[in-house]
Amino acid sequence: TDRKKLHTAPVGQVFRLRPFHVLVATGGGYAGYRKYEDYKIEQMEKKGIEVPVKLASEWEVALYKSVPTRLLSRAWGRLNQVELPTWLRKPVYSLYIWTFGVNMKEAAVEDLHHYRNLSEFFRRKLKPQARPVCCLHNSVVSPSDGKILNFGQVKNCEVEQVKGVTYSLESFLGPRVCREELHFSHSPPGNSFQQQLVTKEGNELYHCVIYLAPGDYHCFHSPTDWRVSHRRHFPGSLMSVNPGVARWIKELFCHNERVVLTGDWKYGFFSLTAVGATNVGSIRIYFDQDLHTNSPSYSKGSYNDFSFVSNNNKEGIPMRKGEHLGEFNLGSTIVLIFEAPKDFKFHLKAGQKIRFGEALGSL
């Protein structure tokens, strides 16, 4: 008689889970598992053990894409813009510096109290002489600091994102840009997308993939003297692009949000693509004020075109080698795809670290 009555609710109400919560829980848990797998792969690489290629199945990719990375990236971007109290700045930035190995001696402003928020710290500028630009006349320089994931000739309309894992050239760049917007001559007739991009007889199509880690310098620059004629923005997923995930998901760069800049240099076609990633929804191109990435209005499989060639501007946007071009709001990936004569040679090794201004290759 002294026992209290317990008021219970139907089991269905207590354990009612919405589909969104299930997706976040399962997708987030699986993403954590993948992070652990990436760590194991990094340890194997450090020991010189060759890592076998194991591609994700369709259901694994779908599960990973179920994580609301676009929403999380926008939330992270807003958090980064919150002004930190002066007393908190040094401890927060020092932890980041220690975690990712940031070299603040190269920063234009070394005083950590100067950076009002994380976003300003991520986008810090370098001292003027910190990155001398290679002065070889026929060279292509690295547009950013980072790690070389892959490089070489494009073959069979496929590009390697890492060794053994490829993606479609046409899926990555999208349909060919209208020839009238570009300044070079008409390409010789060819059946493949790759042949249509090569405009001069005897030339080949080359590619180079550079991964920017969170601790790297986050701005990117012009890799050579060229003219930007066209911008294509692909709204897409924001999956991680670190080397472990790039080895796991085929056509990862085709899934993710990216900004493709195309134009020409002295040898023909030239393109630079900035690929977004988790927490890197913000891709900024300095001369393109109309570009807005990671917008809430996301249409899967779509892309937006913008031409810099007009009646008032027949030349597009001229860029000089080493000139500031844009920035990420954290690390990500840059892909160069360009045309050059057959005697173009890369001066690289897969997996090596490179800094902005160092030569990728030359004639």
Side-chain angles (χ1 to χ4, degrees):
T1 57
D2 294 332
R3 292 179 183 176
K4 295 180 179 180
K5 293 183 179 180
L6 296 178
H7 296 277
T8 59
V11 175
Q13 294 181 10
V14 175
F15 295 101
R16 182 180 296 168
L17 294 176
R18 297 179 180 178
F20 176 78
H21 297 155
V22 175
L23 289 175
V24 171
T26 56
Y30 196 75
Y33 166 74
R34 288 307 313 173
K35 285 289 185 182
Y36 173 68
E37 290 294 309
D38 295 341
Y39 171 77
K40 292 198 299 183
I41 289 173
E42 288 180 6
Q43 297 304 308
M44 292 174 65
E45 289 179 338
K46 288 180 180 179
K47 295 178 182 178
I49 302 173
E50 185 173 352
V51 181
V53 174
K54 184 181 178 182
L55 294 177
S57 62
E58 290 186 8
W59 73 265
E60 288 178 307
V61 176
L63 183 58
Y64 189 2
K65 292 176 75 172
S66 71
V67 180
T69 51
R70 295 179 60 83
L71 178 62
L72 293 173
S73 296
R74 285 196 293 273
W76 176 251
R78 291 179 182 175
L79 179 63
N80 286 351
Q81 294 172 4
V82 174
E83 185 169 343
L84 297 175
T86 304
W87 62 268
L88 188 59
R89 294 174 188 176
K90 188 171 183 179
V92 171
Y93 301 148
S94 296
L95 177 62
Y96 188 91
I97 290 168
W98 176 79
T99 303
F100 296 108
V102 178
N103 183 4
M104 285 302 294
K105 292 182 179 180
E106 299 176 332
V109 180
E110 296 184 40
D111 182 12
L112 298 181
H113 296 100
H114 169 79
Y115 303 100
R116 294 173 297 176
N117 51 50
L118 283 166
S119 181
E120 286 188 2
F121 180 71
F122 291 148
R123 296 179 288 108
R124 64 193 177 276
K125 299 298 186 289
L126 298 179
K127 292 175 180 175
Q129 303 304 321
R131 296 289 187 274
V133 178
C134 176
C135 58
L136 289 177
H137 184 60
N138 293 321
S139 65
V140 176
V141 302
S142 176
S144 67
D145 291 3
K147 178 181 180 181
I148 301 296
L149 294 189
N150 217 303
F151 62 92
Q153 286 189 17
V154 178
K155 298 180 180 179
N156 301 321
C157 295
E158 292 280 327
V159 184
E160 280 194 320
Q161 58 192 32
V162 293
K163 185 178 180 181
V165 182
T166 63
Y167 56 93
S168 163
L169 180 64
E170 186 170 6
S171 296
F172 181 69
L173 296 178
R176 190 162 59 111
V177 176
C178 178
R179 186 62 62 180
E180 283 70 20
E181 294 183 14
L182 304 179
H183 297 273
F184 41 81
S185 59
H186 290 273
S187 60
N191 296 325
S192 71
F193 183 81
Q194 178 179 336
Q195 290 172 321
Q196 293 172 8
L197 294 180
V198 177
T199 64
K200 298 180 181 179
E201 188 174 355
N203 280 3
E204 296 288 348
L205 205 61
Y206 298 87
H207 74 99
C208 184
V209 184
I210 305 167
Y211 167 69
L212 289 74
D216 287 327
Y217 168 56
H218 294 85
C219 297
F220 51 92
H221 301 247
S222 176
T224 191
D225 297 338
W226 65 308
R227 291 176 292 187
V228 184
S229 304
H230 187 270
R231 178 257 291 164
R232 177 168 287 157
H233 171 216
F234 290 86
S237 301
L238 288 173
M239 295 184 285
S240 172
V241 293
N242 73 52
V245 177
R247 187 181 291 107
W248 180 55
I249 297 180
K250 183 178 174 64
E251 298 201 333
L252 171 64
F253 299 154
C254 297
H255 289 293
N256 272 18
E257 181 154 12
R258 59 198 182 278
V259 177
V260 182
L261 300 178
T262 55
D264 65 291
W265 69 321
K266 65 165 69 175
Y267 300 110
F269 174 80
F270 199 95
S271 73
L272 180 149
T273 302
V275 183
T278 308
N279 296 334
V280 197
S282 175
I283 302 171
R284 182 183 174 193
I285 304 298
Y286 294 138
F287 57 75
D288 188 355
Q289 300 303 315
D290 295 324
L291 175 66
H292 301 286
T293 57
N294 196 14
S295 170
S297 55
Y298 161 53
S299 180
K300 184 177 180 181
S302 65
Y303 61 84
N304 306 302
D305 283 349
F306 184 85
S307 175
F308 299 109
V309 177
S310 64
N311 292 331
N312 297 325
N313 179 15
K314 300 290 186 181
E315 298 298 315
I317 307 294
M319 297 296 301
R320 304 294 296 176
K321 183 193 295 184
E323 186 178 353
H324 278 84
L325 181 55
E327 63 187 34
F328 293 108
N329 198 3
L330 206 60
S332 195
T333 297
I334 290 177
V335 180
L336 301 179
I337 298 175
F338 58 93
E339 175 185 358
K342 290 183 178 180
D343 55 351
F344 182 87
K345 301 294 182 184
F346 283 103
H347 312 312
L348 303 171
K349 294 181 180 178
Q352 79 171 70
K353 292 288 290 183
I354 198 164
R355 304 204 302 177
F356 153 61
E358 295 178 347
L360 296 175
S362 62
L363 293 169

